[in-house]
Amino acid sequence: SLIEKEVEADTRKLESFEAFKRVTDDEATDGGRGGMSLRAIAREQLGSEQRWGDIYDLNPQFKPDERVPAGTELKMPRDARNR
C-alpha cells in the first residue's frame, strides 16, 4: 500500500541518518579512532555543533561525514575559541 511504502522510505531515511550520526558523533574521547567530526570541532571551538557548516565552508576538502585526522590544521571562523 502507499502508506507502507511511505513508512519504508521514512525508515530508510532514519537508518541513513542514524548511520551518519554514529559516524559524526564524538564523545570526549574518540575511542582510539583518531580525529574528530566537523560537528564535534564546531561544538568545541564555536560553541555549537550546528555551526559545522562554517568550518566546512572554509575546509571543503573534508567530507562532513568523515573524521578530520588528529593534528590537521583547519581554517577556522574568526570567532573560534582557539584560533
Side-chain angles (χ1 to χ4, degrees), residues 6-20:
E6 288 180 16
V7 169
E8 183 180 335
D10 286 344
T11 302
R12 269 190 256 121
K13 288 178 192 172
L14 178 61
E15 288 170 359
S16 63
F17 173 75
E18 289 300 323
F20 173 80

Side-chain angles (χ1 to χ4, degrees), residues 9 12 44-45 49-50 55 58 60-61 67 71-72 83:
R12 269 190 256 121
E44 185 177 287
Q45 298 297 317
E49 68 182 33
Q50 301 299 319
I55 299 171
L58 296 170
Q61 69 273 29
R67 291 176 174 269
T72 302
R83 295 192 68 213

Side-chain angles (χ1 to χ4, degrees), residues 42-63:
R43 180 174 55 239
E44 185 177 287
Q45 298 297 317
L46 302 174
S48 172
E49 68 182 33
Q50 301 299 319
R51 293 197 52 205
W52 69 267
D54 296 345
I55 299 171
Y56 176 72
D57 288 344
L58 296 170
N59 303 276
Q61 69 273 29
F62 297 104
K63 295 180 182 178

